[in-house]
């Protein structure tokens, strides 16, 4: 390595001399193979890259020059020939034998550097990951009179340079010969080379072949002409299946000229977790850079997989991922806007395809809509929500109900939905991911729409009160029932409501549940913690067991005279109401259900005393 360092010394000390770093090539190759590159397969990409850049350099000076790359694999050897700019003996010493110095920094090429794939000067060194010896034969197109030059290097860091007779390489260009390392012969086999060349180089702009088989497949799938839009969708779907292994719901063109991007995004046919990191295929000037680009799209666009070609994004040193900079941020925003526009166009002109998409990926669209008012406004008639009227959009639900009531949890919704629906109160389940945020944002895109969180008090207020005289007549029954449930932190209320088949309704809210959890923790805590938890006692309303006075079973139970039997029946109604609400049962609730069930069995089967019936 030709990098140098020097240190300046105080005048009282003797000046220090400059020294050249020494490089252990074998150690460096091991570092590259285990830490910089993800797989030995990158050696072929580096060979293709060097060949393509050499041709680009030659065509910058000789526009009509040939542009061919040929690869010949034979067991444990590989030969790569290109018709590029070539090298002189001086270039060989300065470029091939100096680690870290890129030919793209050479005189006359720096101004055209943006046209090159490689920029880091590691290049040919990557071949030592699979090769124990590299031989390069090259002839310069810039200096036609210069003799061909041969550079032979071993993986121990030694190399030999010699000039060859003119007929050793009559035409300008470069030939690279690799001899496999022990155990790495498979990487240089014909089948492996052919597969890697097609994977890395299918979009390269020059004539690349493995033997006689073409590698490049141009134009790119998204740039090909088709007789109709439907035929194009079928062709792209076939490309997606071949590339990613799935048939997409749809394809989205990713054409961003200002960022030098052309490609396509494929919509996944099945739902995926928003936390799952998507891997996208990115080509840089035709060369495959990575198939695991995770930062290419906004996080909300997790429902697509992309393949694209770009000439503006910067690769990292390994050229296996993208460098996070302002350009990538701008590209991410532009691609996100393109996907957003696709959704908008579906909403405007193709509702069937949009419905098919939302049936699978509504979560991703909701994630976008909660941060984007325009998207929420566009998707409002289409995004599905669980409501007491069935699965509806917020737009349709708001048209049916003067107030959009919602719950924040699924448990709360299950508690109140059947009763609220019977009373004519519409409720939206906001307990699923993003739903409550979108419901609360509804007035911002639909001005004048009242939105209110539905709590236990609101539900109770919509239930019909019982005639005071009838309630007074049942005072003893209600007192016994309340005494039975008081240790559970639950009040008993008598109301008349539909449907008649529901004997009792358990209502609470988050504050009541928090207070209940605090009280339980206080009972189980030691003296110190019990005192601390006691000081946190809140004034939140307690849970309520609302008995339905219209239900025949409740009417029969309310006519009982035996306090013990009233208590057992009340516990049974309480447990059945909890099960109806699909609430998780606490140990105390499970014990209550078991106790009530056994108590009712004993009462029903007791033969020594008459059953305590209505009087």
């Amino acid at each position: 390595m030709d990098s140098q360092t020097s240190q300046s010394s105080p005048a009282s000390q003797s000046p220090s001399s400059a020294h050249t770093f020494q490089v252990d090539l074998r150690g460096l190759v091991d570092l590259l193979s285990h830490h910089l590159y993800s797989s030995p397969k990158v050696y072929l990409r580096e060979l293709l890259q060097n060949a393509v850049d050499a041709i680009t350099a030659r065509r910058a000076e000789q526009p009509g020059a040939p542009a061919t790359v040929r690869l010949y694999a034979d067991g444990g050897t590989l030969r790569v020939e290109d018709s590029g700019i070539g090298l002189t003996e001086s270039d060989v010493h300065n470029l091939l034998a100096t680690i870290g110095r890129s030919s793209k920094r050479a005189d006359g090429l720096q101004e055209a550097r943006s046209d090159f794939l490689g920029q880091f000067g590691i290049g040919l060194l990557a071949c030592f990951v699979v090769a124990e010896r590299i031989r390069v034969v090259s002839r310069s197109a810039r200096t036609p009179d210069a003799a061909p030059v041969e550079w032979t290097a071993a993986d121990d860091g030694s190399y030999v340079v010699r000039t060859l007779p003119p007929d050793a390489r009559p035409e300008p260009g470069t030939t690279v010969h690799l001899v496999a390392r022990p155990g790495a012969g498979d990487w240089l086999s014909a089948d492996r080379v052919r597969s890697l060349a097609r994977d890395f180089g299918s979009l390269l702009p020059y004539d690349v072949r493995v033997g006689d088989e073409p590698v490049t497949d141009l134009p790119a799938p998204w740039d090909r002409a088709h007789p109709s839009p439907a035929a194009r969708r079928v062709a792209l779907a076939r490309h997606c299946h071949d590339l990613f292994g799935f048939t997409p719901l749809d394809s989205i063109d990713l054409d961003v000229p200002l960022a030098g991007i052309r490609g396509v995004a494929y919509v996944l046919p099945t739902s995926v977790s928003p936390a799952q990191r998507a891997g996208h295929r990115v080509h840089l000037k035709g060369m495959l850079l990575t198939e695991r680009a995770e930062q290419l799209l906004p996080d909300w666009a997790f429902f697509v997989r992309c393949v694209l070609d770009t000439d503006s994004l910067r690769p990292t040193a390994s050229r296996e991922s993208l460098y996070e900079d302002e350009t990538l941020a701008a590209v991410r925003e532009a691609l996100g806007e393109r996907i957003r526009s696709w959704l908008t166009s579906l909403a405007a002109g193709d509702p069937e395809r949009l419905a098919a998409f939302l049936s699978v990926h509504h979560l991703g669209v909701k994630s976008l809509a909660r941060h984007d008012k325009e998207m929420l406004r566009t998707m409002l008639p289409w995004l599905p929500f669980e409501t007491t009227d069935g699965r509806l959009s917020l737009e349709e639900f708001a048209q049916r109900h003067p107030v959009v009531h919602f719950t924040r949890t699924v448990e709360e919704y299950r508690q109140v939905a059947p009763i609220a629906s019977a009373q004519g109160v519409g409720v939206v389940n906001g307990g699923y991911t993003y739903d409550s945020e979108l419901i609360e944002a509804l007035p911002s895109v639909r001005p004048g729409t009242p939105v209110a969180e539905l709590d236990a008090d609101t539900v109770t207020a919509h239930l019909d009160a019982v005639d005071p005289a009838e309630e007074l007549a049942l005072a003893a029954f209600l007192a016994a029932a309340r005494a039975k449930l008081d240790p559970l932190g639950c009040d008993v209320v008598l109301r008349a409501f539909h449907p008649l088949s529901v004997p009792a309704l358990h209502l609470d809210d988050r504050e009541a549940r928090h207070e209940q959890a605090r009280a339980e923790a206080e009972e189980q805590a030691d003296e110190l913690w019990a005192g601390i938890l006691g000081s946190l006692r809140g004034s939140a309303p307690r849970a309520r067991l609302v008995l339905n006075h219209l239900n025949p079973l409740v009417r029969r139970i309310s006519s009982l005279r035996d306090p013990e039997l009233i208590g057992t029946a009340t516990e049974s109604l309480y447990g059945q109401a909890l099960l109806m609400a699909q609430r998780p049962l606490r140990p105390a609730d499970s014990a209550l259900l078991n106790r009530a069930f056994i108590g009712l069995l004993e009462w029903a089967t007791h033969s020594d005393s008459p059953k305590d019936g209505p009087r």
Side-chain angles (χ1 to χ4, degrees), residues 300-318:
W300 56 261
F302 57 83
F303 49 83
V304 298
R305 296 292 181 270
C306 295
V307 53
L308 55 83
D309 188 26
T310 176
D311 59 17
S312 64
L313 299 178
R314 291 175 56 196
T316 58
S318 67

Side-chain angles (χ1 to χ4, degrees), residues 18-358:
H19 299 279
T20 301
F21 284 109
Q22 301 300 311
V23 176
D24 179 351
L25 187 58
R26 284 178 175 164
L28 187 56
V29 168
D30 182 71
L31 181 67
L32 291 175
S33 61
H34 288 92
H35 299 282
L36 183 63
Y37 296 128
S38 62
S39 166
K41 69 180 182 180
V42 298
Y43 87 91
L44 192 67
R45 184 195 62 201
E46 298 293 341
L47 288 173
L48 286 176
Q49 176 179 290
N50 286 344
V52 169
D53 284 346
I55 294 172
T56 301
R58 184 175 180 184
R59 284 205 155 185
E61 300 180 7
Q62 304 172 15
T68 62
V69 181
R70 298 289 183 266
L71 297 91
Y72 303 96
D74 182 15
T77 64
L78 174 65
R79 185 171 86 255
V80 182
E81 299 178 353
D82 70 68
S83 59
I85 192 70
L87 302 170
T88 64
E89 183 176 358
S90 176
D91 293 334
V92 166
H93 285 287
N94 290 332
L95 302 176
L96 296 186
T98 305
I99 298 170
R101 178 175 295 172
S102 172
S103 61
K104 270 62 78 176
R105 300 183 181 93
D107 293 340
L109 296 185
Q110 180 67 31
E111 64 275 7
R113 185 177 175 193
S114 63
D115 295 328
F116 295 99
L117 300 174
Q119 300 178 3
F120 295 94
I122 301 172
L124 206 58
L125 181 64
C127 294
F128 279 120
V129 174
V130 298
E132 66 176 1
R133 188 169 70 255
I134 302 174
R135 185 167 71 94
V136 177
V137 177
S138 186
R139 184 164 191 165
S140 174
R142 283 204 189 115
T143 314
D145 296 335
V149 62
E150 179 190 69
W151 176 83
T152 304
D155 60 1
D156 61 0
S158 63
Y159 71 92
V160 176
V161 177
R162 66 190 181 100
T163 57
L164 301 176
D167 59 356
R169 172 118 197 161
E171 298 296 329
T174 300
T175 302
V176 179
H177 302 261
L178 301 186
V179 177
R181 300 166 65 95
D186 181 62
W187 289 104
L188 273 61
S189 67
D191 289 341
R192 180 65 69 91
V193 168
R194 187 180 301 109
S195 174
L196 293 178
R198 286 174 177 166
D199 199 34
F200 284 120
S202 63
L203 300 184
L204 289 174
Y206 304 133
D207 179 13
V208 182
R209 296 172 184 262
V210 177
D212 296 328
E213 294 186 32
V215 167
T216 52
D217 187 18
L218 296 176
W222 48 85
D223 287 330
R224 294 171 189 169
H226 297 278
S228 67
R232 184 174 188 271
R233 280 199 297 271
V234 171
L236 288 177
R238 188 180 305 112
H239 173 249
C240 175
H241 189 273
D242 293 341
L243 199 62
F244 293 117
F246 65 85
T247 300
L249 284 177
D250 205 350
S251 55
I252 309 168
D253 283 323
L254 301 178
D255 186 4
V256 187
L258 292 179
I261 285 178
R262 288 282 296 160
V264 62
Y266 294 116
V267 182
L268 291 166
T270 55
S271 59
V272 295
S273 168
Q276 180 176 331
R277 304 300 295 177
H280 308 290
R281 287 177 65 94
V282 178
H283 295 255
L284 178 62
K285 303 179 183 70
M287 181 74 74
L288 178 65
L289 179 70
T290 179
E291 50 192 354
R292 298 188 305 273
E294 296 181 349
Q295 68 273 49
L296 186 65
L297 294 180
D299 291 340
W300 56 261
F302 57 83
F303 49 83
V304 298
R305 296 292 181 270
C306 295
V307 53
L308 55 83
D309 188 26
T310 176
D311 59 17
S312 64
L313 299 178
R314 291 175 56 196
T316 58
S318 67
R319 289 186 287 281
E320 294 188 287
S321 59
L322 298 172
Y323 187 79
E324 186 70 50
D325 58 8
E326 293 180 358
T327 302
L328 179 57
V331 165
R332 185 185 300 120
E333 183 177 349
L335 295 180
E337 181 59 38
R338 185 65 195 86
I339 296 173
R340 183 186 290 110
S341 298
W342 169 77
L343 286 170
T344 303
S345 66
L346 284 188
D350 201 337
E352 290 186 2
R353 285 169 66 198
L354 178 64
F357 166 75
L358 289 178

Side-chain angles (χ1 to χ4, degrees), residues 332-410:
R332 185 185 300 120
E333 183 177 349
L335 295 180
E337 181 59 38
R338 185 65 195 86
I339 296 173
R340 183 186 290 110
S341 298
W342 169 77
L343 286 170
T344 303
S345 66
L346 284 188
D350 201 337
E352 290 186 2
R353 285 169 66 198
L354 178 64
F357 166 75
L358 289 178
S359 67
V360 178
H361 295 299
H362 58 274
L363 196 62
V365 179
K366 286 180 177 181
S367 174
L368 170 60
R370 67 195 177 114
H371 296 303
D372 189 324
K373 288 185 179 179
E374 189 58 38
M375 179 54 62
L376 178 58
R377 184 179 290 107
T378 300
M379 302 308 296
L380 197 59
W382 308 101
L383 287 174
F385 289 79
E386 182 180 359
T387 78
T388 49
D389 293 351
R391 288 189 70 79
L392 299 175
S393 69
L394 289 181
E395 176 70 26
E396 188 174 358
F397 186 85
Q399 292 173 357
R400 295 186 181 187
H401 298 277
V403 178
V404 178
H405 287 104
F406 74 98
T407 63
R408 290 193 182 275
T409 68
V410 175

Side-chain angles (χ1 to χ4, degrees), residues 537-550:
R537 183 180 295 112
S539 58
R542 291 164 30 119
R544 267 158 281 180
L545 181 67
V546 184
L547 301 180
N548 187 0
H549 189 54
L550 300 180

Side-chain angles (χ1 to χ4, degrees), residues 357-517:
F357 166 75
L358 289 178
S359 67
V360 178
H361 295 299
H362 58 274
L363 196 62
V365 179
K366 286 180 177 181
S367 174
L368 170 60
R370 67 195 177 114
H371 296 303
D372 189 324
K373 288 185 179 179
E374 189 58 38
M375 179 54 62
L376 178 58
R377 184 179 290 107
T378 300
M379 302 308 296
L380 197 59
W382 308 101
L383 287 174
F385 289 79
E386 182 180 359
T387 78
T388 49
D389 293 351
R391 288 189 70 79
L392 299 175
S393 69
L394 289 181
E395 176 70 26
E396 188 174 358
F397 186 85
Q399 292 173 357
R400 295 186 181 187
H401 298 277
V403 178
V404 178
H405 287 104
F406 74 98
T407 63
R408 290 193 182 275
T409 68
V410 175
E411 289 78 9
E412 290 172 354
Y413 177 80
R414 289 171 177 167
Q415 274 187 320
V416 303
I419 307 305
S421 178
Q423 310 308 310
V425 179
V427 185
V428 183
N429 185 355
Y432 296 114
T433 306
Y434 309 135
D435 282 7
S436 61
E437 295 175 70
L438 293 175
I439 297 167
E440 290 180 302
L442 184 59
S444 66
V445 297
R446 200 177 190 274
T449 302
V451 173
E453 183 176 353
L454 188 67
D455 55 21
D457 287 334
T458 305
V459 177
T460 306
H462 279 83
L463 305 181
D464 294 334
V466 178
D467 181 85
E470 292 189 45
E471 187 168 1
L472 182 61
L474 298 176
F477 162 74
L478 292 175
R482 286 165 182 155
K484 193 66 175 179
L485 296 187
D486 183 68
L488 298 174
C490 183
D491 292 332
V492 177
V493 178
L494 188 65
R495 292 288 186 273
F497 56 87
H498 293 272
L500 299 180
S501 58
V502 177
L505 175 65
H506 181 271
L507 293 177
D508 64 2
D509 53 27
R510 277 165 294 158
E511 291 184 358
R513 288 195 292 275
H514 291 164
E515 174 60 22
Q516 189 177 57

Side-chain angles (χ1 to χ4, degrees), residues 593-610:
L593 280 171
N594 184 64
R595 183 172 64 249
F597 178 71
I598 297 299
L600 288 176
L601 282 179
E602 288 181 348
W603 176 79
T605 58
H606 201 282
S607 58
D608 294 338
S609 60

